[in-house]
Amino acid sequence: MSSTSDPNSPQDRLNSIKAHMAGSNPTVFTSDAVPQAPEDPLFGLMAAYKKDTFEKKVDLGIGAYRDNDAKPWVLPVVKQADEKLRQDPNLNHEYLPIAGLPEFTSAAQRLILGADSSALKEKRVVSLQSISGTGAVHLGGLFLSKFYPRPSHQPIYFSSPTWANHNQIFTNVRLPIKTYPYFSPQTKGLDFTNMLSTISSAPEGSIILLHACAHNPTGVDPTRDQWKKIAEVIRSKSHFPFFDCAYQGFASGDLENDAWAIRYFVEQGFELCIAQSFAKNFGLYGERAGCFHFVTGPGPDAVDTIGRISSQLAILQRSEISNPPAYGARIAALVLNDNKLFAEWEANLRTMSGRIKDMRSALRHKLEETGTPGSWKHITEQIGMFSFTGLNEKQVMKLRDEAHVYMTKNGRISMAGLNTHNVEYFAKAVDKVVRETQ
């Protein structure tokens, strides 16, 4: 005896629903629309280092200061400022103004431009607190993308190589990007002739991104005479300079020296903008304290011009973050506006930059002492947190696989990752790899 199932039974209805769902696509965001993005190389490197259980592993990837025991260092002056903040009975968690904490942005202006800057005296500077240097670069890129006249679709030029995030930031704000030569693999120094030639041949009115000091990733900076020639070429082509300054005071240990290029351009009457970070020089990495500055050129309409620019920057800021975070800015403002704390901060900067210089000298000495093939003088000629070693990708991967040394594939190392406990181990590992891959 045959029987037919009831199409209205619960099981049949469930099967019908399953069949319907199996044939449908629950999202419009298919892999064609949203492909899987590649892992960020630097953060992937960090993850690999953390998983490694080898006792002598060495982290030379991360761009953050470490003390001689490879530990994060909270600056003593930051601890003092933090204690002052906590003891302030009027401390609250209200919103900051759209442009940020006024006592922070005004102090940041004086720090980067100099208290006696003509641009400040003539009130032709506007500054907005940003989400560290990254946020400042983004805000500047967004403003230029929307308002900078580019009748020929002039691109923004940055150095080859540069900080990896520059590419992504300016691409996201739809500015076309091009590069100018910067690092010479032969000399492991500045490729100045080709740099100037490319900037000179760029379409008139292009945007030129410049690292103010401690170039990332190479550690190679122009001399003051070279900066003057760069300024001449930029002026001759009516280019717009955009300075990225992440290492003031950290590079040389001298705040004035590290701001020299920016101040020179301002003195020469350039209209320009600056992205300023307080992550490295205050150790406020996670607090995201930064500032974006726009300096218009001198002239009878300068105050009106900067007022209009300020109004548009405020609208962009409002739509992006509404209000910047308070804590890091309050810490920096306390230090920057107190003579005693400022002097201690300068001493802390000399401690950090001094240890980095010591590690440069130690590494070069040990490589030369063991007779490692090649010249290693560039290790001490470069400046700041990073050094472009000249090691190629094959050598870098061999170092990682055999010696558990973690560094970016382009041969960049964070000098802050070296210390008196591991510099000899690293030097011997480099010596072995270089000899085996010649």
Side-chain angles (χ1 to χ4, degrees), residues 225-239:
D225 283 341
Q226 288 172 332
W227 274 119
K228 290 178 181 179
K229 290 177 183 175
I230 293 168
E232 287 175 13
V233 171
I234 288 177
R235 184 183 296 285
S236 71
K237 294 301 297 281
S238 301
H239 295 326

Side-chain angles (χ1 to χ4, degrees), residues 307-375:
R308 288 185 285 104
I309 290 169
S310 175
S311 71
Q312 294 293 348
L313 283 168
I315 288 175
L316 293 177
Q317 176 99 314
R318 172 69 168 143
S319 66
E320 291 274 311
I321 62 170
S322 283
N323 318 81
Y327 176 74
R330 284 173 172 157
I331 290 286
L334 274 175
V335 175
L336 295 173
N337 291 296
D338 182 294
N339 289 337
K340 185 178 178 181
L341 291 177
F342 190 92
E344 179 158 351
W345 178 48
E346 289 183 300
N348 293 169
L349 286 168
R350 288 191 293 271
T351 296
M352 291 191 289
S353 62
R355 199 186 81 74
I356 297 269
K357 290 173 186 174
D358 289 345
M359 287 303 100
R360 287 186 179 278
S361 297
L363 176 59
R364 177 180 172 180
H365 172 72
K366 291 185 183 300
L367 289 169
E368 292 177 342
E369 188 178 49
T370 55
T372 307
S375 171

Side-chain angles (χ1 to χ4, degrees), residues 173-251:
V173 299
R174 302 184 187 281
L175 277 174
I177 58 175
K178 289 195 174 181
T179 62
Y180 55 82
Y182 193 84
F183 182 76
S184 167
Q186 289 73 39
T187 66
K188 299 182 180 63
L190 183 63
D191 187 359
F192 186 61
T193 300
N194 287 319
M195 175 189 181
L196 274 192
S197 175
T198 302
I199 293 174
S200 179
S201 61
E204 186 166 329
S206 296
I207 303 164
I208 310 296
L209 185 88
L210 301 160
H211 296 232
C213 63
H215 182 273
N216 179 6
T218 69
V220 175
D221 286 350
T223 65
R224 291 189 178 186
D225 283 341
Q226 288 172 332
W227 274 119
K228 290 178 181 179
K229 290 177 183 175
I230 293 168
E232 287 175 13
V233 171
I234 288 177
R235 184 183 296 285
S236 71
K237 294 301 297 281
S238 301
H239 295 326
F240 183 89
F242 188 151
F243 279 96
D244 189 357
C245 185
Y247 298 95
Q248 186 184 0
F250 190 100

